[in-house]
Amino acid sequence: MAPSLLDLAPVVPVVVIEDASDAVPLARALVAGGLLAIEVTLRTPVALDAIRAIAGEVPEAVVGAGTVITPDQVTETVAAGARFLVSPGWTDVLLEAMRASGVPFLPGVSTTSEVVALLERGVTEMKFFPAEAAGGTAYLRSLAGPLPQARFCPTGGIGSANAPDYLALPNVGCVGGTWMLPADAIAARDWGRVEALAREAAELKLNLKTLRAQV
């Protein structure tokens, strides 16, 4: 069985690419820093081209598509080379399209009822979004008791300061964030800085056992 998407890395970079020519060097910097799973969001016109370029030129990366909200986007992104899918929310139509794609997926949830509904449908790995606005670590901690089978990738409002608090929770496999991709570094194409920040984020995994022992 393939490893869980939630276990590939402690942090999944959430990437918004404005210039397709940045896709490959940016992905190489993240991979060099130890972050193999890269979520390219469908928020720009060049997102599909970026996914295609990373899939073709950075084979070490596990590139996925984020902000997937329609069945057509599921089809287009998988055809472009996406190896996982992430949505901010879900419907039965979108869920079935993601399930039929054959690649791992994380449907988005922000309420207990949404989590239970996904568990009913056999889905145990989810995106918790928007994490901070939806209740943060306190909310996720409260779900661990009654719903221990659900595991999450919280995204939204997470940075280097609070990522360890999320990663310490037993029902959190990884977090999504953008802090290793500062706008000024991207604008300057300072891939060395991106790599260094990615390495710091990847090192959070080394501290997971200690963090969870403190919860």
Side-chain angles (χ1 to χ4, degrees), residues 2-5 62 65 82-86 98 101-107 125:
S4 164
L5 175 59
V62 181
R83 295 168 60 186
F84 66 89
L85 306 169
V86 183
M98 291 193 293
S101 72
V103 302
F105 57 90
L106 296 174
E125 298 188 345

Side-chain angles (χ1 to χ4, degrees), residues 142-166:
S142 71
L143 293 181
L147 302 171
Q149 64 272 55
R151 296 181 73 218
F152 302 94
C153 174
T155 304
I158 298 177
S160 59
N162 61 355
D165 297 331
Y166 281 93

